[in-house]
Amino acid sequence: MPEKGRVNTQDTLTYLAIYQCVKRQVVANMPKSDSNSKSNTEGWNTINWRKAERYVFKLQKKIYAASLHGDVKNTRKLQRTLMRSWSNKVLAVRKVTQDNRGKKTAGVDGVKSLSPEARLTLVGNLKITGHSQPTRRVWIPKPGKEEKRPLGIPTIHDRALQTVIKNALEPEWEAKFEPNSYGFRPGRSCHDAIKQIKNSIQRKSKFVLDADITKCFDKINHLALLQKLGMTGKIRQQLKAWLKSGVIDQKVFTATSKGTPQGGVSALRSVLW
């Protein structure tokens, strides 16, 4: 037994070793930047949405600026940061489970609505793994026609993860697109296109070309699209997995070697248009 008032050196070293071990574990478990910075103990309804939106928009502006200046290395770094961001993930889950018109449309797993607790669980499960579930094919009528067109419905998990990646890819390509393209671009609508047409023809008559590419989505080359994106590693694997995930129509699975399902792979929509 050590004498009273004296420090046992062996015990002190043991306590220091335990402290350092615990400290390393705590540091290892601490979130980096915004990644997973909130736990599931925080209720879904108490999330500061404005703060999350500001954080995501700030990173998107930086991605846009880096892409505009041709800084590929910084663009990729910022995109990876945004894809890991907790704010980006909660906004993606809110979009696909609450905001979108197809929020109650189920994929092949049959899940079509989530409770607030389930949404937080989904946020925690949004990780880029390089795997994907098939899309569920439904047939919807074409406007003014008797024929129908196929629509691919991914699972809620895949839709949310696609939105996470889309939020990171979109600013890069917004910096590269032509100023007069309006299809599926954020902050633009058909009214902007109409206004631009009016400004172009009000002083001089011009010809208008109306063209439609037959089965455009069905014939897109997967390899060419992935090369166009220029992504590598797990992100490329994830995008490829979505392209190759296949479709289930009337309980029959069909593999996909080319094309993208309309309604699926929203992360690539920016590049496709």
Side-chain angles (χ1 to χ4, degrees):
M1 292 289 292
E3 295 182 12
K4 187 176 181 180
R6 296 185 62 181
V7 178
N8 189 310
T9 305
Q10 186 176 359
D11 289 345
T12 302
L13 292 174
T14 301
Y15 294 149
L16 285 173
I18 294 173
Y19 170 76
Q20 292 294 337
C21 181
V22 172
K23 183 179 179 181
R24 284 195 295 269
Q25 290 178 349
V26 170
V27 171
N29 292 328
M30 285 180 65
K32 296 181 179 180
S33 183
D34 182 65
S35 303
N36 300 323
S37 62
K38 305 292 183 182
S39 65
N40 285 350
T41 57
E42 182 183 26
W44 180 262
N45 296 327
T46 62
I47 293 175
N48 189 332
W49 294 109
R50 288 185 62 85
K51 184 177 180 180
E53 288 167 352
R54 284 197 301 267
Y55 179 84
V56 171
F57 185 59
K58 182 179 179 180
L59 272 179
Q60 287 180 321
K61 287 195 296 183
K62 290 182 178 180
I63 294 170
Y64 179 90
S67 177
L68 196 64
H69 289 88
D71 189 348
V72 178
K73 183 178 180 180
N74 195 32
T75 299
R76 295 290 177 262
K77 180 181 178 181
L78 291 166
Q79 286 174 327
R80 287 192 296 269
T81 300
L82 185 53
M83 290 179 198
R84 292 192 300 264
S85 164
W86 179 86
S87 295
N88 188 21
K89 291 177 181 179
V90 293
L91 289 173
V93 170
R94 186 182 70 169
K95 185 177 181 65
V96 302
T97 62
Q98 293 181 279
D99 298 343
N100 285 353
R101 287 186 299 173
K103 59 189 175 185
K104 293 186 178 180
T105 306
V108 294
D109 58 357
V111 178
K112 59 181 180 180
S113 62
L114 298 177
S115 64
E117 293 78 13
R119 292 179 196 136
L120 284 173
T121 301
L122 176 58
V123 170
N125 292 334
L126 290 181
K127 296 178 176 63
I128 299 174
T129 61
H131 301 289
S132 172
Q133 290 186 284
T135 59
R136 182 172 70 92
R137 174 168 288 172
V138 296
W139 295 85
I140 60 175
K142 288 186 175 181
K145 297 182 181 180
E146 294 183 0
E147 61 180 316
K148 296 182 178 181
R149 64 183 180 91
L151 192 65
I153 309 297
T155 62
I156 288 180
H157 177 276
D158 281 332
R159 296 204 299 267
L161 188 57
Q162 287 174 17
T163 304
V164 167
I165 295 182
K166 182 182 80 76
N167 288 342
L169 294 182
E170 204 165 54
E172 175 191 359
W173 291 93
E174 276 296 306
K176 299 178 181 180
F177 284 148
E178 293 290 334
N180 281 347
S181 66
Y182 297 92
F184 290 101
R185 293 185 63 180
R188 298 192 176 201
S189 67
C190 59
H191 296 287
D192 297 308
I194 293 171
K195 182 179 179 180
Q196 183 61 32
I197 292 172
K198 180 181 177 181
N199 293 337
S200 299
I201 66 174
Q202 62 182 358
R203 296 183 179 180
K204 183 180 179 180
S205 298
K206 295 183 179 180
F207 290 99
V208 177
L209 174 64
D210 182 15
D212 184 20
I213 303 175
T214 304
K215 297 186 181 299
C216 173
F217 283 96
D218 298 334
K219 297 181 180 179
I220 292 174
N221 185 288
H222 291 174
L223 180 60
L225 182 56
L226 290 171
Q227 289 176 341
K228 179 72 174 177
L229 282 167
M231 306 302 291
T232 58
K234 278 287 186 69
I235 302 171
R236 181 187 173 94
Q237 292 176 18
Q238 186 65 64
L239 294 172
K240 184 177 180 180
W242 283 327
L243 290 170
K244 303 290 186 183
S245 63
V247 296
I248 294 181
D249 187 4
Q250 301 294 327
K251 298 183 179 181
V252 177
F253 175 79
T254 305
T256 49
S257 59
K258 62 180 180 179
T260 63
Q262 294 191 50
V265 202
S266 64
L268 303 177
R269 184 175 294 169
S270 300
V271 186
L272 293 176
W273 288 89

